């Protein structure tokens, strides 16, 4: 009887270090999963910042082009250049504003007259964790926003030189036609009627 009790105590003593090792391993895995999760959160934050910044810059240019079109509506010869983005100024400053709102910094460049490409970096790091090298690591993401004209038209005579102020082309847009009366231009299509802004895919 006494010998059996001693063997049981001996077995328990051998199992305790194994138990400690298993618990330590589980804790390490838990902290590692937390670090991976935190990195994923930062990555999502960077992508949100990049998307929002690119869209903001593109929407600013869209509004600028729509305003320019409204000013030049009586001169159809200038319409196509406006729909092609000619004369639009760089709107990357709006990307910077949106990045600040998302606690990130961005590098924004116009990608032609009707698109903006943005690379965003989160200001927050992943932080200290059991995974080496995460303390100073920041998440990065990229996005491109595109401005797409939604309307088409034909100039009288098919030539810009033949366009007349008293005859305005009909705008054929994705949401319907706009018949414009040069004597009554109080009801004009808005920016969202003239241009679509969306993130590029692929």
């Amino acid at each position: 009887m006494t010998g059996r009790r001693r063997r049981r105590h001996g077995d328990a003593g051998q199992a305790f270090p194994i138990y400690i090792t298993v618990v330590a391993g589980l804790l390490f895995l838990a902290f590692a999963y937390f670090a991976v999760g935190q990195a994923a959160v930062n990555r999502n934050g960077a992508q949100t910042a990049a998307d929002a910044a690119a869209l903001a810059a593109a929407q600013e240019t869209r509004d600028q082009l729509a305003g320019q079109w409204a000013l030049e509506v009586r001169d159809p010869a200038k319409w196509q250049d406006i729909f092609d983005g000619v004369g639009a100024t760089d709107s990357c400053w709006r990307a910077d504003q949106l990045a600040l709102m998302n606690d990130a910094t961005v590098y924004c460049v116009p990608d032609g007259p009707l698109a903006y490409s943005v690379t965003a970096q989160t200001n927050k790091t992943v932080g200290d964790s059991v995974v080496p090298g995460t303390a100073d690591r920041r998440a990065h993401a990229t996005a491109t926003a595109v401005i797409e004209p939604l309307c088409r038209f034909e100039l009288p005579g098919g030539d810009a030189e033949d366009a007349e102020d008293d005859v305005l082309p009909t705008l054929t847009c994705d949401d319907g036609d706009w018949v414009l009366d040069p004597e009554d231009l109080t009801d004009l299509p808005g920016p969202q009627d003239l241009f679509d802004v969306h993130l590029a895919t692929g």
Side-chain angles (χ1 to χ4, degrees), residues 46-64:
Q47 191 62 63
T48 297
D51 292 348
L55 287 171
Q59 287 169 353
E60 179 65 26
T61 293
R62 175 203 65 183
D63 294 348
Q64 181 187 140

Side-chain angles (χ1 to χ4, degrees), residues 63-79:
D63 294 348
Q64 181 187 140
L65 291 171
Q68 185 179 346
W69 181 85
L71 290 174
E72 303 289 357
V73 67
R74 295 182 185 276
D75 189 357
K78 297 181 180 178
W79 288 10

Side-chain angles (χ1 to χ4, degrees), residues 34 46 84 102 128 174 195 198:
F34 176 80
D84 290 340
N102 286 282
D128 292 326
D174 286 3
F195 300 93
H198 59 271

Side-chain angles (χ1 to χ4, degrees), residues 34-129:
F34 176 80
V36 171
Q38 185 63 34
V41 169
N42 278 17
R43 177 69 174 79
N44 289 339
Q47 191 62 63
T48 297
D51 292 348
L55 287 171
Q59 287 169 353
E60 179 65 26
T61 293
R62 175 203 65 183
D63 294 348
Q64 181 187 140
L65 291 171
Q68 185 179 346
W69 181 85
L71 290 174
E72 303 289 357
V73 67
R74 295 182 185 276
D75 189 357
K78 297 181 180 178
W79 288 10
Q80 191 58 57
D81 280 348
I82 295 172
F83 282 115
D84 290 340
V86 176
T89 59
D90 189 344
S91 296
C92 275
W93 61 271
R94 281 290 289 141
D96 294 332
Q97 285 186 339
L98 264 291
L100 289 174
M101 295 172 61
N102 286 282
D103 196 21
T105 55
V106 298
Y107 174 68
C108 170
V109 292
D111 189 5
L114 295 176
Y116 286 90
S117 293
V118 168
T119 299
Q121 175 182 279
T122 57
N123 292 331
K124 291 183 179 179
T125 64
V126 175
D128 292 326
S129 72

Side-chain angles (χ1 to χ4, degrees), residues 157-182:
D159 194 323
E161 295 181 357
D162 296 331
E164 301 177 9
D165 291 344
D166 58 346
V167 179
L168 297 180
T170 296
L171 275 179
T172 302
C173 304
D174 286 3
D175 63 351
D177 293 346
W178 292 79
V179 180
L180 304 172
D181 181 358

